[in-house]
Amino acid sequence: NRYEATIRGLAGKKYAYLGTFPEGEEAARAYDRAAVVKSGKDAVTNFPLHQYSDLLTRVQVATDDELVVLQKEVMYGHVCAKRIHKRKADGAAE
């Protein structure tokens, strides 16, 4: 099975695709991170919000430009993770 994560209203998109994951928990955590970036302390998450305290702190102190970077990180992080995984599988160093 594969699990897909999306979120509404992140970075001005109607729906933002967060990735496809081999485990449901990974998809849920991807959604949670995006929800924290989008809504801060008011985020509705699958797991307790305190598990994302480092990210929440980054969101709370971020400038508008830094928030844009955080949004891109949660939206495109799955692409970067796949590239790292592929490089490791191919025997390349990180």
XYZ file of all heavy atoms in Angstrom:
735
model
N 0.827 -1.196 0.000
C 0.000 0.000 0.000
C 0.867 1.254 0.000
O 1.958 1.264 0.528
C -0.896 0.036 1.225
C -1.993 -0.989 1.180
O -2.342 -1.504 0.128
N -2.549 -1.295 2.320
N 0.328 2.293 -0.590
C 0.980 3.607 -0.605
C -0.030 4.607 -0.048
O -1.232 4.464 -0.221
C 1.365 4.003 -2.031
C 2.228 2.993 -2.774
C 3.665 3.014 -2.439
N 4.244 4.287 -2.815
C 5.437 4.675 -2.407
N 6.166 3.902 -1.668
N 5.915 5.833 -2.756
N 0.477 5.624 0.614
C -0.374 6.626 1.245
C 0.017 8.005 0.745
O 1.187 8.362 0.742
C -0.217 6.557 2.769
C -0.589 5.202 3.318
C 0.348 4.173 3.360
C -1.871 4.949 3.757
C 0.019 2.918 3.845
C -2.224 3.696 4.246
C -1.274 2.690 4.287
O -1.613 1.454 4.758
N -0.992 8.759 0.320
C -0.762 10.089 -0.231
C -1.173 11.140 0.794
O -2.157 10.964 1.505
C -1.592 10.253 -1.498
C -1.372 11.571 -2.205
C -2.110 11.623 -3.524
O -1.667 10.945 -4.460
O -3.126 12.327 -3.585
N -0.402 12.216 0.850
C -0.723 13.326 1.746
C -0.929 14.590 0.925
O -0.127 14.903 0.041
C 0.392 13.532 2.762
N -2.012 15.301 1.218
C -2.295 16.607 0.623
C -2.830 17.507 1.734
O -3.253 17.040 2.781
C -3.362 16.517 -0.495
O -4.578 16.004 0.060
C -2.906 15.639 -1.645
N -2.793 18.808 1.464
C -3.369 19.773 2.409
C -3.981 20.911 1.604
O -3.489 21.259 0.528
C -2.305 20.295 3.409
C -2.971 21.097 4.537
C -1.223 21.090 2.702
C -2.058 21.394 5.700
N -5.040 21.457 2.128
C -5.711 22.593 1.474
C -5.061 23.906 1.890
O -4.663 24.087 3.028
C -7.170 22.671 1.916
C -8.050 21.635 1.390
C -9.392 21.801 2.059
N -10.423 21.648 1.054
C -11.645 22.073 1.192
N -12.020 22.694 2.273
N -12.519 21.879 0.237
N -4.992 24.815 0.912
C -4.669 26.198 1.216
C -3.258 26.517 1.651
O -3.049 27.516 2.324
N -2.293 25.728 1.278
C -0.907 26.026 1.629
C -0.246 26.713 0.449
O -0.363 26.252 -0.684
C -0.153 24.739 1.989
C 1.295 24.912 2.432
C 1.351 25.626 3.785
C 1.976 23.557 2.549
N 0.447 27.790 0.708
C 1.193 28.532 -0.324
C 0.290 28.981 -1.470
O 0.686 28.968 -2.630
C 2.354 27.689 -0.845
N -0.939 29.356 -1.124
C -1.851 29.882 -2.135
C -2.418 28.841 -3.088
O -3.054 29.181 -4.085
N -2.212 27.570 -2.793
C -2.729 26.510 -3.661
C -4.036 25.978 -3.082
O -4.199 25.903 -1.869
C -1.722 25.365 -3.755
C -0.416 25.767 -4.416
C 0.501 24.568 -4.524
C 1.784 24.928 -5.220
N 1.658 25.037 -6.647
N -4.949 25.596 -3.978
C -6.195 25.004 -3.505
C -5.875 23.729 -2.727
O -6.340 23.527 -1.610
C -7.119 24.711 -4.681
C -8.483 24.259 -4.270
C -9.423 24.168 -5.452
C -10.804 23.765 -4.978
N -11.747 23.716 -6.079
N -5.086 22.849 -3.339
C -4.579 21.657 -2.667
C -3.089 21.563 -2.942
O -2.664 21.714 -4.077
C -5.247 20.385 -3.195
C -6.648 20.190 -2.699
C -7.731 20.609 -3.453
C -6.894 19.593 -1.472
C -9.028 20.439 -3.005
C -8.181 19.421 -1.006
C -9.244 19.844 -1.778
O -10.517 19.675 -1.316
N -2.314 21.290 -1.917
C -0.876 21.106 -2.089
C -0.575 19.624 -1.898
O -0.948 19.026 -0.888
C -0.102 21.937 -1.080
N 0.084 19.030 -2.879
C 0.501 17.636 -2.816
C 1.760 17.547 -1.968
O 2.737 18.248 -2.210
C 0.766 17.128 -4.237
C 1.319 15.734 -4.302
C 0.504 14.644 -4.061
C 2.650 15.513 -4.611
C 1.008 13.356 -4.126
C 3.166 14.232 -4.683
C 2.338 13.157 -4.434
O 2.842 11.886 -4.502
N 1.745 16.703 -0.956
C 2.880 16.572 -0.045
C 3.694 15.313 -0.290
O 4.774 15.167 0.255
C 2.380 16.595 1.402
C 1.561 17.822 1.792
C 0.990 17.663 3.189
C 2.393 19.088 1.680
N 3.160 14.410 -1.082
C 3.926 13.216 -1.418
C 3.142 11.933 -1.236
O 2.047 11.911 -0.684
N 3.754 10.847 -1.695
C 3.231 9.500 -1.524
C 4.233 8.758 -0.657
O 5.441 8.831 -0.888
C 3.063 8.798 -2.880
O 2.187 9.595 -3.688
C 2.474 7.423 -2.726
N 3.735 8.040 0.334
C 4.585 7.426 1.347
C 4.251 5.954 1.512
O 3.106 5.539 1.329
C 4.386 8.154 2.680
C 4.640 9.630 2.592
C 3.634 10.514 2.226
C 5.901 10.137 2.835
C 3.866 11.875 2.128
C 6.152 11.506 2.733
C 5.130 12.365 2.377
N 5.254 5.147 1.887
C 5.010 3.712 2.053
C 4.205 3.387 3.309
O 3.583 2.331 3.399
C 6.412 3.106 2.134
C 7.294 4.221 2.547
C 6.665 5.482 2.029
N 4.193 4.278 4.285
C 3.480 4.044 5.548
C 2.497 5.176 5.815
O 2.788 6.341 5.541
C 4.471 3.968 6.717
C 5.518 2.878 6.579
C 4.930 1.479 6.697
O 3.905 1.318 7.390
O 5.502 0.551 6.087
N 1.355 4.829 6.375
C 0.350 5.827 6.712
C 0.851 6.858 7.701
O 0.521 8.042 7.598
N 1.676 6.423 8.656
C 2.197 7.364 9.647
C 3.068 8.437 8.996
O 3.006 9.604 9.375
C 3.007 6.640 10.725
C 3.503 7.589 11.793
C 4.217 6.905 12.943
O 3.926 5.732 13.237
O 5.065 7.574 13.553
N 3.853 8.053 7.999
C 4.690 9.036 7.301
C 3.828 10.080 6.598
O 4.141 11.274 6.620
C 5.591 8.346 6.281
C 6.680 7.489 6.879
C 7.454 6.770 5.793
O 8.298 7.434 5.156
O 7.194 5.571 5.588
N 2.745 9.632 5.954
C 1.832 10.555 5.279
C 1.163 11.478 6.301
O 1.030 12.688 6.070
C 0.783 9.783 4.488
N 0.759 10.925 7.429
C 0.112 11.725 8.470
C 1.075 12.773 9.019
O 0.694 13.917 9.265
C -0.386 10.812 9.587
N 2.327 12.403 9.196
C 3.311 13.356 9.713
C 3.641 14.441 8.674
O 3.854 15.598 9.037
C 4.563 12.642 10.193
C 4.295 11.850 11.460
C 5.545 11.392 12.153
N 5.219 10.592 13.321
C 4.872 11.092 14.510
N 4.816 12.393 14.689
N 4.592 10.291 15.518
N 3.648 14.077 7.408
C 3.854 15.076 6.357
C 2.718 16.101 6.401
O 2.949 17.313 6.309
C 3.935 14.419 4.989
N 1.482 15.603 6.551
C 0.336 16.502 6.669
C 0.492 17.389 7.913
O 0.268 18.603 7.850
C -0.980 15.711 6.761
C -2.124 16.626 7.104
C -2.802 17.310 6.105
C -2.479 16.861 8.430
C -3.818 18.196 6.423
C -3.489 17.747 8.753
C -4.150 18.407 7.749
O -5.145 19.299 8.063
N 0.861 16.777 9.038
C 1.000 17.544 10.277
C 2.004 18.684 10.130
O 1.750 19.809 10.564
C 1.444 16.634 11.424
C 0.334 15.737 11.951
O -0.809 15.831 11.463
O 0.623 14.937 12.869
N 3.156 18.381 9.528
C 4.176 19.435 9.348
C 3.622 20.574 8.492
O 3.824 21.753 8.801
C 5.440 18.844 8.735
C 6.255 18.004 9.712
C 7.598 17.585 9.152
N 7.475 16.732 7.979
C 7.315 15.406 8.035
N 7.269 14.778 9.185
N 7.211 14.704 6.919
N 2.907 20.225 7.432
C 2.314 21.259 6.577
C 1.259 22.056 7.345
O 1.179 23.279 7.207
C 1.713 20.621 5.329
N 0.469 21.380 8.156
C -0.559 22.064 8.943
C 0.070 23.036 9.936
O -0.437 24.144 10.141
C -1.429 21.040 9.670
N 1.184 22.646 10.541
C 1.873 23.529 11.489
C 2.417 24.762 10.773
O 2.286 25.885 11.260
C 2.995 22.771 12.241
C 3.876 23.728 13.021
C 2.387 21.719 13.163
N 2.992 24.558 9.596
C 3.508 25.697 8.827
C 2.360 26.611 8.409
O 2.466 27.831 8.458
C 4.325 25.219 7.604
C 4.646 26.371 6.666
C 5.604 24.533 8.070
N 1.252 26.026 8.042
C 0.099 26.810 7.582
C -0.602 27.541 8.729
O -0.941 28.713 8.593
C -0.902 25.872 6.891
C -2.172 26.537 6.456
C -3.140 25.521 5.877
C -4.507 26.143 5.736
N -5.540 25.156 5.545
N -0.821 26.860 9.853
C -1.689 27.405 10.901
C -1.021 27.654 12.246
O -1.686 28.101 13.179
C -2.870 26.447 11.116
O -3.580 26.281 9.916
N 0.263 27.336 12.359
C 0.959 27.574 13.619
C 0.339 26.815 14.777
O -0.059 25.658 14.637
N 0.208 27.479 15.926
C -0.300 26.818 17.130
C -1.764 26.406 17.005
O -2.258 25.620 17.817
C -0.099 27.704 18.357
C -0.890 28.993 18.342
C -0.641 29.799 19.610
C -1.357 31.121 19.592
N -2.790 31.062 19.350
N -2.465 26.894 15.990
C -3.868 26.539 15.781
C -4.034 25.331 14.856
O -5.163 24.962 14.515
C -4.635 27.732 15.206
C -4.661 28.900 16.177
O -4.753 28.659 17.402
O -4.580 30.049 15.720
N -2.928 24.726 14.465
C -2.977 23.584 13.543
C -3.721 22.405 14.160
O -3.575 22.103 15.343
C -1.561 23.152 13.167
N -4.513 21.754 13.328
C -5.175 20.512 13.713
C -4.306 19.395 13.140
O -4.138 19.305 11.924
C -6.611 20.434 13.157
C -7.249 19.099 13.487
C -7.442 21.588 13.700
N -3.730 18.578 14.026
C -2.769 17.564 13.607
C -3.241 16.163 13.984
O -4.117 15.992 14.833
C -1.396 17.826 14.242
O -1.541 17.871 15.663
C -0.792 19.141 13.767
N -2.642 15.182 13.340
C -2.931 13.787 13.639
C -2.263 13.336 14.932
O -2.783 12.479 15.638
C -2.424 12.894 12.495
C -3.165 13.160 11.209
O -4.332 12.836 11.093
N -2.483 13.762 10.247
N -1.108 13.887 15.208
C -0.330 13.552 16.390
C -0.262 14.782 17.284
O -0.494 15.896 16.823
C 1.077 13.081 15.992
C 1.051 11.835 15.149
C 1.120 11.914 13.768
C 0.924 10.580 15.732
C 1.074 10.773 12.978
C 0.873 9.436 14.962
C 0.950 9.520 13.583
N 0.063 14.609 18.571
C 0.102 15.766 19.482
C 1.012 16.883 18.954
O 2.122 16.623 18.482
C 0.653 15.166 20.779
C 0.285 13.712 20.717
C 0.383 13.349 19.261
N 0.521 18.101 19.056
C 1.238 19.262 18.533
C 2.620 19.416 19.158
O 3.559 19.851 18.488
C 0.403 20.532 18.746
C 0.901 21.808 18.086
C 0.994 21.645 16.573
C -0.025 22.969 18.433
N 2.775 19.011 20.404
C 4.076 19.168 21.069
C 5.175 18.368 20.355
O 6.357 18.679 20.498
C 4.000 18.794 22.550
C 3.815 17.335 22.821
N 4.869 16.449 22.822
C 2.699 16.622 23.085
C 4.405 15.237 23.080
N 3.097 15.317 23.240
N 4.805 17.373 19.553
C 5.800 16.612 18.801
C 6.432 17.446 17.679
O 7.436 17.049 17.104
C 5.184 15.339 18.223
C 4.793 14.345 19.289
C 4.256 13.053 18.718
O 4.302 12.804 17.515
N 3.743 12.206 19.594
N 5.837 18.579 17.388
C 6.330 19.468 16.327
C 6.804 20.795 16.915
O 6.793 21.820 16.231
C 5.227 19.693 15.282
C 4.700 18.398 14.731
C 3.513 17.847 15.200
C 5.415 17.698 13.767
C 3.045 16.643 14.712
C 4.946 16.486 13.279
C 3.765 15.966 13.761
O 3.308 14.760 13.285
N 7.235 20.784 18.157
C 7.573 22.038 18.847
C 8.708 22.801 18.163
O 8.666 24.027 18.098
C 7.906 21.782 20.319
O 8.996 20.897 20.432
N 9.720 22.094 17.630
C 10.816 22.794 16.940
C 10.296 23.523 15.704
O 10.638 24.677 15.464
C 11.928 21.829 16.541
C 12.700 21.299 17.743
O 12.593 21.887 18.836
O 13.408 20.289 17.581
N 9.473 22.846 14.919
C 8.897 23.459 13.718
C 7.979 24.610 14.102
O 8.017 25.673 13.477
C 8.146 22.416 12.887
C 7.464 22.915 11.626
C 8.466 23.556 10.666
C 6.723 21.773 10.944
N 7.180 24.419 15.123
C 6.266 25.473 15.572
C 7.034 26.722 15.987
O 6.653 27.841 15.637
C 5.396 24.971 16.723
C 4.339 25.932 17.240
C 3.394 26.373 16.133
C 3.563 25.296 18.374
N 8.146 26.538 16.680
C 8.981 27.684 17.063
C 9.501 28.403 15.831
O 9.481 29.635 15.769
C 10.152 27.218 17.955
O 9.612 26.622 19.135
C 11.056 28.379 18.332
N 9.965 27.640 14.834
C 10.450 28.251 13.592
C 9.341 29.061 12.922
O 9.584 30.159 12.416
C 10.950 27.182 12.622
C 12.271 26.568 13.014
C 12.703 25.484 12.057
N 12.959 26.007 10.720
C 13.034 25.237 9.643
N 12.863 23.938 9.708
N 13.273 25.789 8.463
N 8.124 28.529 12.910
C 6.995 29.221 12.281
C 6.673 30.504 13.033
O 6.439 31.551 12.422
C 5.760 28.286 12.227
C 4.502 29.051 11.861
C 6.005 27.137 11.252
N 6.683 30.448 14.344
C 6.290 31.599 15.153
C 7.260 32.768 15.039
O 6.853 33.915 15.168
C 6.124 31.177 16.613
C 4.914 30.293 16.823
C 4.832 29.717 18.228
O 5.840 29.466 18.871
N 3.619 29.491 18.687
N 8.533 32.489 14.786
C 9.520 33.574 14.704
C 9.888 33.931 13.259
O 10.667 34.851 13.037
C 10.804 33.243 15.504
C 10.479 33.017 16.974
C 11.530 32.054 14.918
N 9.322 33.227 12.302
C 9.689 33.412 10.899
C 9.154 34.722 10.329
O 8.047 35.157 10.653
C 9.167 32.252 10.063
N 9.956 35.315 9.453
C 9.492 36.452 8.661
C 8.607 35.909 7.544
O 8.536 34.691 7.330
C 10.683 37.194 8.029
O 11.327 36.307 7.099
C 11.673 37.679 9.081
N 7.960 36.787 6.801
C 7.127 36.341 5.678
C 7.954 35.555 4.661
O 7.499 34.523 4.156
C 6.446 37.526 4.996
C 5.338 38.123 5.848
O 4.891 37.465 6.815
O 4.909 39.251 5.543
N 9.152 36.029 4.371
C 10.017 35.326 3.418
C 10.416 33.951 3.943
O 10.460 32.977 3.192
C 11.277 36.139 3.110
C 10.981 37.371 2.259
O 9.910 37.408 1.609
O 11.816 38.289 2.243
N 10.698 33.858 5.231
C 11.062 32.577 5.823
C 9.890 31.608 5.830
O 10.072 30.399 5.658
C 11.606 32.781 7.244
C 12.957 33.478 7.268
C 13.379 33.974 8.638
O 12.509 34.193 9.508
O 14.592 34.149 8.828
N 8.667 32.136 5.990
C 7.479 31.281 5.923
C 7.311 30.678 4.530
O 6.919 29.517 4.391
C 6.223 32.050 6.314
C 5.970 32.178 7.801
C 4.750 33.049 8.069
C 5.798 30.827 8.447
N 7.614 31.455 3.508
C 7.555 30.942 2.137
C 8.531 29.773 1.976
O 8.199 28.745 1.395
C 7.836 32.053 1.103
C 8.023 31.484 -0.293
C 6.714 33.090 1.119
N 9.717 29.914 2.533
C 10.720 28.840 2.467
C 10.212 27.605 3.210
O 10.322 26.479 2.713
C 12.075 29.319 3.039
C 13.046 28.155 3.191
C 12.665 30.400 2.151
N 9.626 27.803 4.391
C 9.086 26.678 5.155
C 7.966 25.974 4.386
O 7.878 24.749 4.386
C 8.575 27.145 6.517
C 9.627 27.471 7.558
C 8.997 28.146 8.778
C 10.366 26.216 7.975
N 7.112 26.757 3.721
C 6.044 26.162 2.923
C 6.618 25.294 1.805
O 6.149 24.182 1.569
C 5.141 27.249 2.334
C 4.299 27.951 3.375
C 3.553 29.138 2.810
O 3.764 29.565 1.686
N 2.670 29.697 3.619
N 7.640 25.797 1.150
C 8.281 25.017 0.085
C 8.936 23.756 0.635
O 8.892 22.705 0.006
C 9.290 25.873 -0.674
C 8.623 26.910 -1.539
C 9.622 27.759 -2.279
C 8.903 28.812 -3.105
N 9.834 29.691 -3.810
N 9.539 23.876 1.825
C 10.158 22.704 2.439
C 9.141 21.602 2.686
O 9.405 20.440 2.395
C 10.827 23.075 3.767
C 12.140 23.782 3.628
C 12.748 24.159 4.974
O 12.279 23.666 6.031
O 13.685 24.959 4.983
N 7.973 21.951 3.221
C 6.983 20.904 3.502
C 6.305 20.411 2.229
O 5.903 19.258 2.150
C 5.932 21.327 4.560
C 6.581 21.603 5.889
C 5.075 22.473 4.119
N 6.209 21.266 1.209
C 5.580 20.842 -0.047
C 6.521 20.015 -0.914
O 6.081 19.099 -1.598
C 5.096 22.059 -0.845
C 3.865 22.677 -0.262
S 3.199 24.138 -1.120
C 4.014 24.243 -2.641
N 7.801 20.340 -0.894
C 8.732 19.672 -1.809
C 9.743 18.796 -1.100
O 10.613 18.224 -1.742
C 9.453 20.713 -2.667
C 8.485 21.570 -3.452
C 8.435 22.948 -3.266
C 7.599 20.997 -4.342
C 7.536 23.735 -3.971
C 6.687 21.772 -5.043
C 6.662 23.141 -4.850
O 5.762 23.900 -5.542
N 9.626 18.672 0.206
C 10.550 17.843 0.969
C 10.549 16.399 0.508
O 11.585 15.744 0.491
N 9.376 15.882 0.080
C 9.302 14.498 -0.382
C 10.140 14.287 -1.632
O 10.729 13.238 -1.818
C 7.844 14.086 -0.625
C 7.200 14.830 -1.750
N 6.729 16.117 -1.600
C 6.971 14.489 -3.032
C 6.221 16.518 -2.761
N 6.360 15.560 -3.637
N 10.246 15.303 -2.469
C 11.051 15.201 -3.689
C 12.523 15.112 -3.315
O 13.260 14.266 -3.819
C 10.789 16.406 -4.623
C 11.722 16.368 -5.825
C 9.333 16.426 -5.064
N 12.955 15.957 -2.392
C 14.352 15.932 -1.940
C 14.667 14.613 -1.255
O 15.735 14.044 -1.454
C 14.622 17.087 -0.986
S 14.461 18.704 -1.774
N 13.750 14.107 -0.433
C 13.976 12.844 0.268
C 14.128 11.696 -0.728
O 14.973 10.814 -0.554
C 12.836 12.558 1.238
N 13.333 11.698 -1.791
C 13.447 10.653 -2.808
C 14.801 10.718 -3.497
O 15.411 9.698 -3.783
C 12.331 10.777 -3.850
C 10.999 10.287 -3.362
C 9.955 10.403 -4.457
C 8.600 9.969 -3.956
N 7.566 10.119 -4.979
N 15.290 11.927 -3.755
C 16.599 12.075 -4.406
C 17.707 11.534 -3.505
O 18.609 10.854 -3.969
C 16.861 13.538 -4.742
C 16.042 14.035 -5.904
C 16.386 15.469 -6.240
N 15.494 15.951 -7.265
C 15.075 17.195 -7.353
N 15.479 18.102 -6.483
N 14.265 17.564 -8.319
N 17.628 11.839 -2.210
C 18.634 11.342 -1.269
C 18.578 9.827 -1.206
O 19.600 9.150 -1.254
C 18.422 11.978 0.128
C 18.782 13.458 0.079
C 19.249 11.249 1.189
C 18.351 14.235 1.300
N 17.353 9.270 -1.124
C 17.193 7.820 -1.066
C 17.766 7.167 -2.322
O 18.458 6.159 -2.246
C 15.715 7.459 -0.901
C 15.459 5.996 -0.882
N 15.798 5.207 0.188
C 14.926 5.169 -1.813
C 15.480 3.958 -0.087
N 14.945 3.910 -1.281
N 17.499 7.760 -3.479
C 18.006 7.201 -4.742
C 19.522 7.257 -4.773
O 20.179 6.292 -5.171
C 17.428 7.949 -5.933
C 17.892 7.385 -7.274
C 17.150 8.016 -8.431
C 17.619 7.581 -9.786
N 18.586 6.548 -9.914
N 20.110 8.365 -4.320
C 21.583 8.475 -4.293
C 22.172 7.427 -3.370
O 23.198 6.805 -3.699
C 22.009 9.870 -3.856
C 21.853 10.908 -4.962
C 22.670 12.157 -4.677
N 22.499 12.659 -3.343
C 21.881 13.792 -3.013
N 21.391 14.562 -3.947
N 21.785 14.169 -1.764
N 21.550 7.198 -2.226
C 22.052 6.181 -1.304
C 21.945 4.802 -1.941
O 22.856 3.992 -1.827
C 21.270 6.215 0.004
C 21.640 7.352 0.907
C 20.863 7.283 2.203
C 21.246 8.416 3.129
N 20.460 8.376 4.372
N 20.822 4.534 -2.624
C 20.619 3.244 -3.268
C 21.644 3.032 -4.390
O 22.089 1.920 -4.651
C 19.198 3.139 -3.813
N 22.031 4.127 -5.043
C 23.014 4.062 -6.136
C 24.443 4.023 -5.599
O 25.390 3.964 -6.371
C 22.851 5.244 -7.087
C 21.557 5.175 -7.880
O 20.944 4.098 -7.944
O 21.147 6.224 -8.423
N 24.595 4.144 -4.266
C 25.921 4.086 -3.668
C 26.626 5.414 -3.564
O 27.804 5.476 -3.234
N 25.949 6.520 -3.835
C 26.576 7.840 -3.763
C 26.492 8.352 -2.334
O 25.583 8.038 -1.589
C 25.871 8.815 -4.713
N 27.436 9.178 -1.973
C 27.422 9.813 -0.647
C 26.416 10.946 -0.659
O 26.147 11.540 -1.693
C 28.811 10.347 -0.312
N 25.890 11.265 0.540
C 24.940 12.386 0.649
C 25.578 13.702 0.371
O 26.642 14.025 0.702
C 24.341 12.424 2.067
C 23.037 11.727 2.103
C 22.367 11.890 3.453
O 21.895 12.981 3.772
O 22.325 10.903 4.178
